[in-house]
Amino acid sequence: MKIPKTSNRFCPKCGKHTAVKISLVSSGHVRGSLKRGGKARMKMRGLGVGKGNHGKYSRKPVGQWKKKVKTTKKTNLMYTCKVCGKSTIQKQGMRVGKVVIEEKGASK
Ligand SMILES: [Zn+2]
C-alpha cells in the first residue's frame, strides 16, 4: 500500500488541521513485560525453578510455526505535526502486506 509522505490531519496540540509528516515506526513489542503466565513472571514467583517435574512449567514452549497464521501485518504510522512538532501515533492499523511511503502528489 502506498502512503503519502505528508498529509493534513488534526493535531490535538494545535487544535486544528495542520500538515503532518508521516513515518513508519516498528510495531513495538513491550520489552521485559511481566505478563500473566509469562516465563519471566513465573520465575519471579518461584514457579518452574529448581529440580523435578513442575507440570506445565516443565514443558517446552509452543513453536513459532504453530502460532503463525497471518501473512500480513498491521501498519503503525507516526504523524509528526509540522507546526508544533508533536507526534501522534495511528490508533488503528490497517492490515497490509507492504507499506511504501511516497512523495506527496502520488495517489494512495
Ligand atoms: Zn501541532
Side-chain angles (χ1 to χ4, degrees), residues 10-16 18-20 81-86:
F10 180 79
C11 173
K13 196 178 180 188
C14 299
K16 62 183 178 186
T18 54
V20 292
C81 177
K82 283 189 173 176
V83 179
C84 65
K86 183 159 173 77

Side-chain angles (χ1 to χ4, degrees), residues 7-8 15 17 30 33 36-37 43 48 50 54 61 66 79-80 87 94 97 101-102 105-106:
S7 178
N8 276 319
H17 275 73
V30 183
S33 70
R36 283 274 182 96
K43 244 178 197 170
H54 295 276
K66 212 168 187 181
Y79 305 105
T80 308
S87 295
M94 295 163 282
I101 292 175
E102 284 194 333

